[in-house]
Amino acid sequence: MIDRAHLIQEIDTIPPVYYREVADFIVYIKERQERKPLSLEQAAQMALEDYCSDSELTVFTELDGEDFYETR
């Protein structure tokens, strides 16, 4: 793991043209850190909504119950 002093040294070597990207990334990390994690129920509900509304996710449901291999 990189320590704080080493991180600051590395940041000092970044060309100024990239400062905006570094700043945006720091803001992203802070926002991500502040977000409340989803409960499993919330995540499942979001997945269900996607599954019900996106035909790309349900294209193979016609095969439900069909064997995918030959039985001998």
Side-chain angles (χ1 to χ4, degrees):
M1 179 174 223
I2 192 168
D3 64 3
R4 183 183 179 112
H6 188 92
L7 180 60
I8 291 170
Q9 286 176 340
E10 288 299 315
I11 290 173
D12 283 341
T13 67
I14 295 172
V17 69
Y18 296 110
Y19 288 175
R20 184 75 209 146
E21 289 181 55
V22 171
D24 290 345
F25 185 67
I26 291 170
V27 169
Y28 165 77
I29 290 174
K30 286 185 171 190
E31 288 173 351
R32 185 174 169 198
Q33 183 180 16
E34 293 170 0
R35 270 189 248 142
K36 181 180 173 186
L38 291 178
S39 70
L40 287 178
E41 182 179 357
Q42 290 170 319
Q45 185 63 38
M46 288 174 61
L48 178 62
E49 290 170 11
D50 287 341
Y51 185 77
C52 290
S53 64
D54 187 345
S55 63
E56 291 288 318
L57 297 175
T58 59
V59 70
F60 293 109
T61 56
E62 293 177 21
L63 300 175
D64 286 351
E66 297 289 327
D67 289 336
F68 290 101
Y69 54 90
E70 288 186 24
T71 57
R72 296 178 186 203

